Amino acid sequence: MGFLIVFLGSGIGGAMRHGVNLLAAKTWGEEFPFGTMAINVLGSFVMGLLVELFAFKFGMSQQWRLFLTTGVVGGFTTFSTFSLEAALLWERGHVLQAFLYVSGSVVLGIGALFVALYLGRHLLGISDA
């Protein structure tokens, strides 16, 4: 049942992400990824509110937590989960682990993307770039 709940929520979050991206592109153009930046910041803010106010303070059921956090907000942006996990490591006093998690995720994630672009372009001949 948990997979169905997450599936439904992530569809809603993904549709919301698409809407924000379209609105940002129409409003500010496509030269800078304003939509993605807004999604990441807004998603992180909403994740913090949901976790603190609803999940911990109001005893939200596991199904609702899955639907809202992993589903809707996770479908909107996984950056919100990344932000939450980094904050939890920091708050638990694992400052070095938080730093390694953040820097490792960013550096390795971007590095993996460049490796995949290279492989796709030069070894697999996927694009003309």
Side-chain angles (χ1 to χ4, degrees):
M1 187 61 154
F3 285 100
L4 178 61
I5 290 168
V6 170
F7 172 76
L8 294 173
S10 63
I12 293 168
M16 290 169 34
R17 178 177 63 232
H18 182 61
V20 170
N21 272 325
L22 290 175
L23 179 64
K26 185 176 180 179
T27 305
W28 296 296
E30 297 179 9
E31 294 299 313
F32 183 84
F34 286 108
T36 301
M37 188 169 70
I39 287 163
N40 289 338
V41 172
L42 182 59
S44 296
F45 180 80
V46 171
M47 179 68 87
L49 280 179
L50 287 174
V51 168
E52 188 63 28
L53 294 176
F54 298 119
F56 294 134
K57 301 273 191 236
F58 299 119
M60 185 184 299
S61 71
Q62 179 65 19
Q63 289 83 8
W64 274 108
R65 281 186 272 179
L66 276 175
F67 176 75
L68 292 172
T69 59
T70 306
V72 176
V73 179
F76 187 63
T77 174
T78 56
F79 190 83
S80 58
T81 302
F82 168 75
S83 298
L84 174 63
E85 291 169 342
L88 290 174
L89 284 169
W90 182 276
E91 286 183 343
R92 292 177 183 148
H94 304 295
V95 177
L96 179 60
Q97 287 178 334
F99 173 77
L100 291 173
Y101 178 62
V102 169
S103 58
S105 294
V106 171
V107 171
L108 294 173
I110 293 172
L113 181 111
F114 275 111
V115 169
L117 289 174
Y118 176 83
L119 291 174
R121 291 173 180 167
H122 299 286
L123 299 179
L124 302 175
I126 293 175
S127 73
D128 295 329

